[in-house]
Amino acid sequence: MTISQKVKLIMEESSWVRKMFETASQLKVEYGEENIFDFTLGNPVEEPPPGFKEALKEFALNPIPGMHRYMPNSGYAETRRFIAQQLSQDTGLPFTEDHIVMTIGAAGGMNIALKALIDQGDEVIVPSPYFVEFQFYIDNHGGVMRLVDTREDFSIDLEAIERTITEKTKVVLINSPNNPTGVVYSEDLIRDLADLLRAKSRKRRNPIYLLADEAYKTIIYDGFPLPNILEIYKPSISVNSYSKSLGVPGERVGYVAVNPSFPEVEEVMGALVFLNRTLGYINAPALMQRLIPLAGENHVGPKEYQEKRDLLYQALIEYGYSVVKPQGAFYMFPQSPIEDDLAFVSDLQQSFRILTVPGRGFGKKGYFRISYCVDMEVIEQALPSFAEAAKKYGLH
Ligand SMILES: Cc1ncc(COP(=O)(O)O)c(C=O)c1O
């Protein structure tokens, strides 16, 4: 035995997404890629927006002296200023570059934010179903995750959150637009959550922080308004990513923004920047940071994703699946027609060559996740198989 017992156990139990992805790879070899409908990974197929490649070429042909060197751990001031301007416009809050730290995607952002906030044993409340990596990020920094079931429409159950808050609660972590459900929390819901957290925080020395994973912020459908969490609740931190908005998850760039009107903003920012360095990230990739202001307001989607959502959602409803209509991101979380989501997902795989992820991989048995950031043809070709599966399981 060479590796830690804890890590070994976690690895054995973790990541249904990865397990399904590995099965998918095997099946593709066995049956040919075109005969497998792979809806397992949230890996965007859309290329980055226009101008991205040209800007890359420009940097290669006319490099700026020193552009590959170390930089301040918070990232380039110019990039942070650009983001601050965007956030000020969106929220009306006085953001400057001092309220932004550039990170290694949202994943890096979540890790520095959680480490900055929690002491050993502090509790982090997470509405479930949830993006399963959260449990590891929280555990990385000695926190204890407290899952709270959402309502049937996957909105946050405030009474359940209230019942779960204890003296040890330090953070409520929300993710909207949501992975795996595609749900976007309404402004009323966020305001009510903020009221609850304010009331609970009043009785204690430290506030309860609201940590918002907004990695899918730009992928919202039907003009649904995404509430400005930073504007609504002062002790709030927003974690963002360009992985999905620019279609560059392999390039690892995102940022964390802290509410400028929060009295302890300086202390929190100091911790985030320090941790960016000491967790070993040092800084987010330099070239990607330089490209962000050049990309401006351009991003991938949401039009393309909305078309895919529409096609898939309409068809699944027609075939008799029970699905909450996604308002953002590129995931759908239908109910499994049988209680055992693992058995259903396995049968989808074996009998219909449709690859999805069982709900238990997101803390909710009896459901399955479809990631529809795939080519339109994959959805079109998979629909008859979804229909066959519905028939087999007696859906109408
Ligand atoms: C909810 C959520 N948060 C964070 C991440 C990580 O994103 P990034 O590539 O920016 O690290 C993902 C990736 O799929 C995600 O779904």
Side-chain angles (χ1 to χ4, degrees):
M1 173 89 49
T2 52
I3 64 168
S4 117
Q5 288 279 19
K6 180 176 167 183
V7 173
K8 194 166 187 302
L9 196 69
I10 290 174
M11 281 168 63
E12 275 162 12
E13 288 177 356
S14 84
S15 196
W16 282 98
V17 180
R18 278 281 148 194
K19 271 181 208 156
M20 292 299 156
F21 178 67
E22 280 154 22
T23 313
S25 307
Q26 279 167 15
L27 289 174
K28 281 174 189 168
V29 173
E30 221 171 297
Y31 295 102
E33 192 151 353
E34 64 288 357
N35 298 315
I36 302 295
F37 311 117
D38 185 357
F39 297 100
T40 52
L41 271 193
N43 201 2
V45 289
E46 311 287 348
E47 286 298 314
F52 186 86
K53 277 188 205 142
E54 288 68 24
L56 266 181
K57 207 193 295 170
E58 180 60 25
F59 281 125
L61 294 175
N62 299 302
I64 301 167
M67 67 184 276
H68 303 297
R69 292 184 191 145
Y70 287 124
M71 68 181 80
N73 298 124
S74 52
Y76 288 125
E78 194 190 339
T79 307
R80 291 182 288 124
R81 261 198 298 277
F82 170 77
I83 294 169
Q85 259 168 19
Q86 284 184 320
L87 289 175
S88 298
Q89 259 169 27
D90 290 350
T91 62
L93 294 170
F95 277 98
T96 70
E97 67 263 39
D98 296 336
H99 307 116
I100 314 290
V101 50
M102 301 307 298
T103 60
I104 306 289
M110 290 301 294
N111 272 282
I112 60 170
L114 286 163
K115 189 163 180 74
L117 297 181
I118 54 185
D119 279 307
Q120 188 73 28
D122 279 350
E123 294 175 2
V124 179
I125 293 180
V126 180
S128 174
Y130 70 108
F131 176 54
V132 79
E133 303 298 302
F134 290 158
Q135 72 172 298
F136 307 121
Y137 300 162
I138 293 165
D139 180 72
N140 283 346
H141 310 297
V144 177
M145 183 173 71
R146 294 275 176 242
L147 290 179
V148 174
D149 270 341
T150 48
R151 295 186 186 281
E152 242 176 64
D153 61 359
F154 300 127
S155 62
I156 299 174
D157 182 342
L158 292 174
E159 284 97 54
I161 299 262
E162 183 167 11
R163 284 196 301 274
T164 311
I165 291 175
T166 70
E167 276 307 301
K168 292 222 133 242
T169 305
K170 191 71 189 284
V171 178
V172 172
L173 194 177
I174 59 173
N175 166 221
S176 170
N178 186 267
N179 177 7
T181 64
V183 159
V184 180
Y185 300 143
S186 71
E187 175 154 349
D188 283 350
L189 182 61
I190 297 294
R191 288 202 180 276
D192 290 346
L193 175 63
D195 286 344
L196 170 66
L197 298 186
R198 262 189 293 269
K200 290 282 181 183
S201 297
R202 226 168 276 138
K203 301 190 186 126
R204 48 165 80 202
R205 235 161 33 98
N206 282 319
I208 299 173
Y209 283 86
L210 186 56
L211 179 58
D213 178 333
E214 303 193 295
Y216 298 91
K217 188 176 165 180
T218 56
I219 308 176
I220 305 239
Y221 308 137
D222 308 315
F224 193 92
L226 183 72
N228 280 313
I229 289 166
L230 293 170
E231 191 194 341
I232 294 170
Y233 188 64
K234 272 191 188 162
S236 60
I237 297 179
S238 165
V239 176
N240 294 267
S241 171
Y242 291 95
S243 290
K244 321 291 156 120
S245 66
L246 293 181
V248 293
E251 303 297 351
R252 315 303 307 132
V253 66
Y255 68 90
V256 175
V258 181
N259 188 335
S261 53
F262 178 50
E264 276 84 38
V265 63
E266 232 175 274
E267 192 184 14
V268 175
M269 281 306 303
L272 293 174
V273 174
F274 171 76
L275 293 166
N276 220 21
R277 184 184 103 220
T278 54
L279 282 176
Y281 305 134
I282 311 297
N283 52 251
L287 189 53
M288 286 303 120
Q289 289 196 46
R290 289 202 187 273
L291 287 167
I292 286 163
L294 300 178
E297 299 299 324
N298 288 332
H299 47 75
V300 181
K303 186 172 163 283
E304 297 79 1
Y305 291 124
Q306 185 164 331
E307 284 165 7
K308 291 171 187 176
R309 182 224 35 192
D310 288 344
L311 178 67
L312 187 59
Y313 173 76
Q314 292 301 345
L316 293 187
I317 292 292
E318 210 174 284
Y319 305 153
Y321 291 91
S322 172
V323 196
V324 172
K325 189 174 189 179
Q327 294 144 322
F330 38 56
Y331 306 105
M332 230 172 255
F333 204 58
Q335 240 172 46
S336 160
I338 50 173
E339 211 179 312
D340 187 344
D341 52 316
L342 187 53
F344 178 67
V345 163
S346 301
D347 193 33
L348 268 187
Q349 206 173 82
Q350 297 308 325
S351 307
F352 303 97
R353 307 222 177 107
I354 296 176
L355 309 181
T356 58
V357 183
R360 65 187 63 194
F362 305 93
K364 187 125 182 120
K365 289 182 181 170
Y367 290 77
F368 63 106
R369 189 192 77 171
I370 302 174
S371 170
Y372 55 89
C373 59
V374 295
D375 287 322
M376 197 61 146
E377 300 82 74
V378 177
I379 299 174
E380 284 163 357
Q381 287 162 11
L383 289 184
S385 301
F386 274 116
E388 283 296 308
K391 230 183 264 165
K392 177 171 175 180
Y393 286 91
L395 302 177
H396 300 291

